[in-house]
Amino acid sequence: MSWERKGKPVSRRKFLSYLVGGVSTAIVAVVATPLVGYFLSPAWRRKPPLLTPIAQVSDVPKDKPLFVTYEQRIRDGWYITTLSKGAWVVNKGGNKLTVFDFDPRCTHLNCPYYWDEEQGMFLCPCHGGKFDIDGKVLAGPPPRPLDRLEFSVEDGSILLSGRIIREG
Ligand code: FES
């Protein structure tokens, strides 16, 4: 038995080398395709945000902002990083909660702001920015209210989604 390629006879050795090469290529393709899909699929799949618990609702006193620190996990494809962050949680009673982002901070030039108990407002020491308990600008150069963080409450726990809500 003889084989031909483009009208020329092909030796048995050559034919076997074509056969082995073709079978090897097919095996590599069968093995590699799922592996490539496995490593790339996190980038294609839309996953729900990682929720970060920051406090229990019962721990936040009414009308007295509470500063909390937390570790936020951020998903980027198959890679998860952790950032240390802070937030002010306001409980105005009747399930009316607000979480203000502390990083970035003041909406003017990012200075850290704090709650002044005596004046009953958030103060920014850098340029005299003042915000009420709802985050609205009362005085100073800040161009917009304090940034808020999207959250949900499950079993009394306040969970951040990581989304920042900016006004103005
Ligand atoms: S940085 Fe806060 S008022 Fe300027």
Side-chain angles (χ1 to χ4, degrees), residues 60-123:
V60 187
K62 188 172 174 290
D63 294 329
K64 189 174 178 186
L66 176 72
F67 185 72
V68 295
T69 58
Y70 60 96
E71 299 291 315
Q72 183 176 18
R73 293 177 303 149
I74 298 166
R75 187 189 341 247
D76 184 8
W78 54 87
Y79 191 68
I80 294 177
T81 53
T82 305
L83 286 177
S84 295
K85 301 190 88 178
W88 285 96
V89 186
V90 173
N91 181 0
K92 295 188 78 181
N95 292 331
K96 195 166 183 310
L97 290 167
T98 309
V99 181
F100 292 112
D101 192 10
F102 191 67
D103 189 14
R105 305 171 178 192
C106 173
T107 53
H108 180 222
L109 293 176
N110 283 339
C111 279
Y113 60 90
Y114 64 95
W115 176 253
D116 186 282
E117 191 62 49
E118 278 183 22
Q119 297 186 58
M121 61 179 72
F122 290 106
L123 302 179

